Amino acid sequence: RRLQVGSFIQGVGSLSDYCLTTPNVYAKMQECENNDDQLYLYDEKNRYIKFEGNCLDHQFVANHIYFHSCHGGPNQRWYYNKKTMEMKNLGGERCLDIRGNKELHMYDCHGGDNQKFQMPSTWTMSPLSSDYNDRVTVASNLNLCMTFGGEIVMKTCMKNDSNQ
């Protein structure tokens, strides 16, 4: 398992002076101050963003973003699109969004600066199925691709397999 070094998650444009912060309960954006509560680890294998052993979590019902014990659910597994600078989790197609009060929630993607983030350059947060983006994969295991060989099965993705 590859745990990537602690670093900041920063806003862009008018929010570029703000970093993801864990002040109390809910994650929010606050002025970047190089504090320990603004340093996060990225677990590449599980797609977890971690703080003090807990994972960044989207609470579906109240639409809050906070740190919760890691449980492997899709609402804790994050991916990043370097081109659009958007962060999403495997729980849906909505984007991580900064509200006017700087709290975070998930919202329909619209391309505004309040949905763009600068991720640490040392983190490898590839988008879903980066090597196999023309294939159907399983969210819980992005290395499995739908394969046809008389019947449809899920098999390890192979770059040169024309049946996938």
Side-chain angles (χ1 to χ4, degrees):
R1 171 153 85 187
R2 197 167 162 200
L3 196 61
Q4 299 181 3
V5 298
S7 202
F8 301 99
I9 298 173
Q10 197 168 353
V12 300
S14 63
L15 297 165
S16 62
D17 292 335
Y18 291 86
C19 289
L20 177 65
T21 306
T22 311
N24 294 314
V25 179
Y26 302 116
K28 65 186 301 181
M29 301 299 282
Q30 290 185 334
E31 285 191 39
C32 299
E33 297 176 342
N34 199 21
N35 291 334
D36 287 346
D37 65 351
Q38 293 181 334
L39 289 174
Y40 302 91
L41 297 171
Y42 183 64
D43 178 335
E44 182 180 353
K45 179 181 178 211
N46 293 305
R47 295 180 175 265
Y48 292 150
I49 295 173
K50 298 181 89 173
F51 178 75
E52 294 183 349
N54 290 316
C55 289
L56 189 64
D57 186 293
H58 173 223
Q59 181 187 33
F60 293 113
V61 177
N63 196 17
H64 291 298
I65 304 297
Y66 69 117
F67 281 85
H68 187 270
S69 57
C70 301
H71 53 68
N75 58 319
Q76 291 187 336
R77 300 177 69 198
W78 298 88
Y79 63 100
Y80 179 69
N81 184 320
K82 286 183 181 181
K83 190 174 187 177
T84 64
M85 301 176 81
E86 295 169 338
M87 273 185 63
K88 298 179 182 181
N89 64 38
L90 299 182
E93 284 299 310
R94 297 179 111 192
C95 287
L96 186 63
D97 184 278
I98 306 168
R99 294 179 181 175
N101 63 2
K102 306 296 187 281
E103 286 184 0
L104 298 171
H105 68 146
M106 301 304 284
Y107 195 77
D108 294 336
C109 301
H110 54 69
D113 281 352
N114 64 318
Q115 293 186 341
K116 294 180 181 179
F117 297 87
Q118 295 178 50
M119 302 307 290
S121 60
T122 55
W123 289 9
T124 308
M125 289 188 75
S126 56
L128 292 178
S129 308
S130 61
D131 292 334
Y132 309 103
N133 56 8
D134 58 339
R135 300 173 190 192
V136 177
T137 58
V138 179
S140 62
N141 184 344
L142 300 176
N143 294 316
L144 292 178
C145 290
M146 186 181 294
T147 307
F148 179 76
E151 59 185 64
I152 297 175
V153 295
M154 300 306 288
K155 292 174 110 178
T156 300
C157 298
M158 306 294 288
K159 289 187 181 205
N160 297 322
D161 189 337
S162 62
N163 290 320
Q164 294 182 334

